[in-house]
């Protein structure tokens, strides 16, 4: 690897994004086997994997929003250096996020909803008949769940919910970069001057407070009414922007507290496991509930801080693999969940053991997504490849590919966890 000594690009954040996307496929395969709600469920679903799933559920998406904020700030600086207007950056960003969203809702996502109503509601119509109802916004796919009537909203964005959220947060960030650069620079300087306690506890406060909203505003991925998710993810996105303004001093300080952050995150995870096990099916005392929501928020930030601290120390370097994988992750994100759902239905009649079936789902999903990405990159015209999140250029270029990699950094997956 070539060391990034003189390059302002934060290569370690690119690697973190790639590693976070490395968890994407196994995590959503895991969702097929746990008792938490998901689109389709294995007959062998149980709580066995849930402790392991809980190890990443609180922080994985937040990390990607944090990286997204830093990536936007970096893209702004590069656009200015290249003489590009802010409007051009916004147009490119909008195209890269919203066009795949629309295409995904019309083409990629519907099979997930189809097999969901087949499995959960015993729907007997064909896929063609379902698509007619899907496009008409049919509201009749309902069932009683946890004592209330739950209806499937159509059309839906399912795992692509991250794209509209990211676009809205990016628009807020774009306005701040355009209208209040001095304020952001000042906040960045203050961030860079924080000591260990400020880094470990002070920066966790927004997430501790956000978690208190979880019961009143449970995660819905309804952009207009999802205040708990907005509170946690927007705060992390903006913190990522400020971290980019703070520069290397902030990352170095964060790296210095990486071990306390890691130990704290693991201790918080252990406390959450005990808490959820002790009150499985029971209502905890309100004071304890508030405290444990605080522990959840601490785990979110400490895990993010530890990941960034270790990555800054060990992964702040460039390589051809970074460029290749960074260019592919957006396409994998768009495709992966539908591929998983389709493969579960394909493998179900074989009645394989959960371990063998799960390993096959992970490997086959990666292979199929890689195949589609390769074909899209080499065969499709640039406008069509863009719909799958693939840059039209035939060969990754370190200069021209940066904007595409920046947008690719801002995509991820739906992760559902216990409230």
């Amino acid at each position: 690897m070539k060391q990034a000594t003189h390059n302002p690009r934060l290569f370690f954040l690119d690697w973190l994004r790639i590693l976070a996307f490395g968890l994407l496929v196994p995590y959503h395969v895991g969702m097929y086997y746990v008792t938490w709600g998901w689109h389709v469920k294995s007959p062998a679903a149980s709580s066995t994997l849930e402790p392991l799933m809980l190890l990443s559920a609180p922080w994985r998406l937040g990390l990607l929003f944090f990286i997204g904020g830093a990536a936007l700030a970096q893209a702004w600086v590069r656009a200015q250096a290249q003489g590009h207007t802010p409007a051009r950056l916004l147009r490119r960003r909008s195209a890269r996020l919203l066009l795949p969203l629309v295409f995904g809702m019309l083409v990629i996502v519907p099979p997930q909803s189809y097999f969901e109503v087949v499995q959960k509601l015993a729907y007997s119509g064909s896929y063609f008949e379902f698509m007619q109802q899907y496009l008409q916004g049919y509201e009749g796919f309902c069932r009683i769940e946890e004592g209330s009537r739950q209806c499937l909203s159509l059309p839906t964005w399912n795992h692509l919910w991250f794209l509209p959220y990211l676009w809205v947060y990016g628009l807020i960030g774009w306005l701040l970069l355009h209208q209040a650069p001095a304020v952001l620079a000042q906040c960045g300087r203050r961030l860079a001057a924080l000591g260990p306690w400020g880094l470990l506890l002070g920066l966790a406060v927004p997430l501790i407070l956000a978690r208190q909203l979880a019961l009143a505003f449970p995660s819905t991925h309804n952009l207009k009414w999802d205040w708990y998710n907005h509170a946690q993810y927007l705060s992390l996105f903006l913190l990522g922007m400020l971290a980019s303004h703070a520069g290397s001093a902030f990352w170095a300080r964060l790296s210095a507290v990486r071990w306390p952050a890691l130990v704290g995150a693991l201790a918080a995870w252990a406390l959450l496991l005990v808490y959820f096990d002790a009150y499985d099916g029971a209502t905890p005392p309100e004071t304890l509930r508030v405290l444990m929501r605080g522990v959840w928020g601490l785990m979110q930030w400490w895990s993010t801080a530890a990941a960034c601290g270790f990555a800054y120390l060990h992964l702040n370097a460039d390589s051809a693999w970074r460029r290749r994988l960074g260019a592919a992750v957006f396409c994998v994100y768009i495709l992966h969940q539908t591929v998983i759902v389709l493969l579960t239905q394909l493998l179900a009649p074989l009645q394989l053991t959960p371990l063998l079936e799960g390993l096959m789902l992970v490997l086959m999903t990666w292979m199929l997504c890689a195949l589609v990405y390769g074909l899209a990159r080499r065969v499709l015209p640039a406008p069509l490849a863009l719909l799958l999140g693939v840059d039209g250029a035939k060969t990754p270029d370190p200069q021209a590919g940066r904007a595409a990699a920046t947008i690719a950094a801002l995509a991820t997956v739906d992760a559902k966890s216990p409230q």
Side-chain angles (χ1 to χ4, degrees):
M1 287 187 179
K2 179 183 176 183
Q3 293 301 320
T5 308
H6 303 295
N7 197 318
R9 185 180 181 92
L10 303 176
F11 292 118
F12 74 96
L13 290 183
D14 291 336
W15 284 112
L16 270 183
R17 180 187 70 250
I18 292 166
L19 291 173
F21 273 101
L23 292 173
L24 190 68
V25 171
Y27 187 91
H28 280 113
V29 168
M31 289 297 294
Y32 180 57
Y33 293 102
V34 296
T35 61
W36 306 342
W38 205 55
H39 309 290
V40 293
K41 303 302 295 183
S42 167
S46 71
S47 61
T48 304
L49 287 177
E50 289 173 11
L52 187 60
M53 299 281 281
L54 190 62
L55 183 59
S56 66
W59 57 268
R60 185 172 49 86
L61 284 171
L63 174 64
L64 286 167
F65 276 108
F66 179 78
I67 294 172
L72 175 62
Q74 283 195 296
W76 179 275
V77 172
R78 287 196 297 272
Q80 287 186 320
Q82 295 166 3
H84 298 159
T85 65
R88 184 182 188 273
L89 176 64
L90 182 60
R91 286 196 302 270
R92 179 173 176 80
R93 179 183 177 82
S94 298
R96 289 285 289 164
L97 292 176
L98 299 183
L99 290 179
L101 173 64
V102 174
F103 177 76
M105 291 177 66
L106 295 176
V107 177
I108 304 297
V109 167
Q112 300 177 34
S113 299
Y114 172 71
F115 284 109
E116 183 172 359
V117 298
V118 167
Q119 185 181 95
K120 295 180 179 178
L121 301 175
Y123 179 73
S124 59
S126 67
Y127 185 71
F128 176 75
E129 293 170 328
F130 170 79
M131 278 303 298
Q132 290 180 305
Q133 296 171 303
Y134 180 92
L135 295 174
Q136 293 169 3
Y138 179 65
E139 299 178 351
F141 291 123
C142 302
R143 66 175 184 158
I144 302 300
E145 186 174 329
E146 297 180 355
S148 62
R149 190 169 184 260
Q150 304 288 333
C151 297
L152 188 64
S153 298
L154 301 177
T156 181
W157 46 47
N158 278 4
H159 71 291
L160 299 182
W161 67 269
F162 190 79
L163 299 183
Y165 281 56
L166 191 63
W167 184 82
V168 171
Y169 299 167
L171 180 60
I172 294 171
W174 182 88
L175 290 171
L176 290 172
L177 288 163
H178 191 268
Q179 299 294 331
V183 174
L184 293 178
Q186 183 180 15
C187 291
R189 287 192 294 271
R190 291 182 178 179
L191 193 65
L194 287 177
W197 290 109
L199 290 170
L200 290 174
L201 295 179
L203 296 183
V205 170
L207 296 175
I208 293 172
L209 296 177
R211 186 63 183 176
Q212 307 307 320
L213 299 174
L215 189 61
F217 300 99
S219 178
T220 63
H221 300 144
N222 179 340
L223 183 63
K224 297 182 292 185
W225 195 255
D226 203 12
W227 299 112
Y228 162 54
N229 278 333
H230 290 324
Q232 60 173 332
Y233 294 141
L234 179 57
S235 64
L236 283 165
F237 185 88
L238 296 176
L239 181 58
M241 288 179 56
L242 295 179
S244 183
H245 280 76
S248 59
F250 171 77
W251 302 115
R253 288 175 180 268
L254 204 60
S255 181
V257 297
R258 64 191 183 281
W259 281 109
L262 177 60
V263 172
L266 292 174
W269 172 59
L271 286 174
L272 288 170
L273 289 180
V274 172
Y275 170 71
F276 285 126
D277 181 66
Y279 290 97
D280 183 23
T283 302
E286 188 59 27
T287 301
L288 179 61
R289 190 203 297 268
V290 170
L291 289 174
M292 294 311 296
R293 286 177 181 166
V295 171
W296 181 286
L298 286 171
M299 183 183 174
Q300 279 185 291
W301 174 242
W302 287 343
S303 300
T304 301
C308 291
F310 280 102
Y312 178 74
L313 189 65
H314 299 292
L315 296 177
N316 199 25
D318 195 13
S319 78
W321 278 108
R322 180 198 65 81
R323 294 188 289 275
R324 293 189 190 106
L325 296 174
V329 291
F330 194 12
C331 181
V332 173
Y333 157 67
I334 291 171
L335 295 171
H336 82 283
Q337 188 160 289
T338 293
V339 172
I340 291 171
V341 169
L342 292 175
L343 287 175
T344 62
Q345 305 308 298
L346 179 67
L347 295 179
L350 301 180
Q351 297 183 327
L352 303 171
T353 63
L355 178 60
L356 176 59
E357 183 185 54
L359 291 174
M360 290 181 65
L361 285 172
V362 171
L363 293 175
M364 292 173 70
T365 300
W366 271 331
M367 290 172 61
L368 288 172
C369 289
L371 176 63
V372 173
Y373 167 73
L375 291 173
R377 189 169 186 82
R378 291 167 177 80
V379 176
L380 291 180
L384 294 181
L386 181 63
L387 298 177
L388 289 171
V390 179
D391 190 283
K394 297 296 181 184
T395 340
D397 179 76
Q399 299 297 326
R402 283 177 182 173
T406 296
I407 300 301
L410 306 177
T412 185
V413 298
D414 171 11
K416 299 178 182 177
S417 60
Q419 300 298 324

